[in-house]
Amino acid sequence: MYVAIICGAIFILVAGLLVTIIIRFRYKAGRRPPQTFGNTKLEIMWATGPAIIVIILFIMTVYTLHEVTPGGEQRDADIVVIGHQWWWEIQYPKSGIITANELHIPVGKRHLVRIESADVIHSYWVPSLNSKVDAIPGHPNYMFLQADNEGIYGGHCTEFCGTQHAKMFTRVIAESPADFNKWERSQVQVAAAPASGLAAAGFRIYQQRACLNCHATSAGPDLNHVASRQTLGSGILPNNPANLKLWLLNPHQFKPGAHMPDFQLSEHDVDALVAYLETLR
Ligand code: CUA
């Protein structure tokens, strides 16, 4: 706003002078306006004026950057966001929660977030809440995240990171402190393995197919509470049993090149897996 006001004032001054000069000194036959060669006072003024404005804007920028950027001494992040090809891992070091793509925060509180990458350079951006922060392998970056109003804030990877860069969505879900606590309490619980029925069959397939090799080692999204999430495949599909089935039948029809293999599962196996995964709330 300050920059806009200063620039607006300069624009009005310059445009106003221009219009005045065009009218006042317009061509008239036989009349030549007085010619001036150099004016030291004026030249000093138009050199120092802009310099002072630039210095003021510089000081204000440094001050604002200092306010919105975490200081170098703060390293105890509340939340860790890790970019993967092509999804976001989200960890809460204090409670031990690990989830994917959907970052929950209570409203009105400032969170220190560490941004990392597991493979290539990504960039975490939720336009309504933060500026872009690059996720660089081996070089953690920090930012503050705060939402003052409840709601879902959409975001996206903003550094080209491979074929599915365009499908690397994220969302911040800002909740009332009570709702956030409820979410936190449910996320720290570990679901019991289903004892019978289709879900139990699905659990067996889940183990046989070694899904855990990726999904419990951060090579793929943690699935402990997968059914409680709003979206699948890093935001490309609403999370419901029908879409989960389509995804498992062939992830690459939605995300060509995704590291989730197409296991060529039978329809029955997929139904069983969906039944199992839906128990993970
Ligand atoms: Cu990750 Cu682009």
Side-chain angles (χ1 to χ4, degrees):
M1 281 312 295
Y2 288 115
V3 174
I5 290 167
I6 292 170
C7 291
I10 293 171
F11 174 77
I12 289 167
L13 178 72
V14 171
L17 282 172
L18 202 58
V19 171
T20 312
I21 289 163
I22 288 168
I23 294 169
R24 230 180 115 193
F25 300 108
R26 67 188 182 279
Y27 177 76
K28 276 189 196 134
R31 200 196 77 174
R32 195 166 178 246
Q35 304 296 300
T36 309
F37 299 95
N39 183 326
T40 313
K41 215 167 117 190
L42 209 58
E43 280 172 20
I44 288 171
M45 270 167 62
W46 73 47
T48 51
I52 289 167
I53 291 171
V54 169
I55 289 166
I56 290 171
L57 289 178
F58 174 77
I59 291 168
M60 289 166 76
T61 304
V62 170
Y63 177 78
T64 307
L65 275 176
H66 183 75
E67 283 292 292
V68 300
T69 313
E73 73 288 349
Q74 290 172 289
R75 285 296 178 266
D76 245 359
D78 304 307
I79 302 167
V80 181
V81 172
I82 305 167
H84 291 256
Q85 286 176 316
W86 288 276
W87 58 284
W88 300 97
E89 180 180 353
I90 295 159
Q91 301 180 347
Y92 295 74
K94 282 157 200 170
S95 58
I97 293 170
I98 299 176
T99 182
N101 307 318
E102 295 167 16
L103 195 157
H104 288 247
I105 49 169
V107 290
K109 197 175 160 251
R110 194 163 81 161
H111 303 269
L112 179 66
V113 182
R114 188 166 75 231
I115 309 287
E116 300 177 359
S117 170
D119 37 46
V120 300
I121 299 176
H122 305 267
S123 191
Y124 190 78
W125 192 33
V126 182
S128 311
L129 300 179
N130 74 315
S131 54
K132 296 174 188 177
V133 178
D134 283 354
I136 300 167
H139 178 91
N141 281 326
Y142 290 80
M143 67 170 192
F144 288 126
L145 198 60
Q146 175 171 353
D148 291 326
N149 297 306
E150 286 176 36
I152 298 170
Y153 299 86
H156 201 280
C157 180
T158 50
E159 182 66 47
F160 181 70
C161 55
T163 52
Q164 295 304 302
H165 157 71
K167 290 178 182 164
M168 200 168 157
F169 300 99
T170 182
R171 50 178 66 185
V172 170
I173 299 165
E175 302 166 302
S176 67
D179 284 346
F180 177 78
N181 288 341
K182 210 171 109 193
W183 176 82
E184 203 174 31
R185 276 200 304 278
S186 74
Q187 294 287 311
V188 292
Q189 314 243 324
V190 179
S196 62
L198 198 57
F203 180 60
R204 280 195 299 278
I205 296 164
Y206 182 75
Q207 291 181 310
Q208 283 160 7
R209 290 284 178 166
C211 304
L212 283 168
N213 285 0
C214 290
H215 286 290
T217 60
S218 289
D222 189 280
L223 297 179
N224 269 324
H225 297 273
V226 63
S228 71
R229 291 179 207 146
Q230 298 176 350
T231 64
L232 291 172
S234 194
I236 58 169
L237 290 170
N239 186 7
N240 56 45
N243 282 340
L244 186 56
K245 181 174 172 176
L246 290 174
W247 172 262
L248 287 171
L249 280 171
N250 182 7
H252 297 159
Q253 65 178 311
F254 302 105
K255 248 179 155 168
H259 295 328
M260 164 92 178
D262 178 2
F263 281 101
Q264 311 278 334
L265 296 163
S266 70
E267 185 112 5
H268 171 269
D269 285 1
V270 169
D271 284 335
L273 273 173
V274 170
Y276 166 59
L277 293 172
E278 286 298 317
T279 66
L280 303 177
R281 298 222 150 252

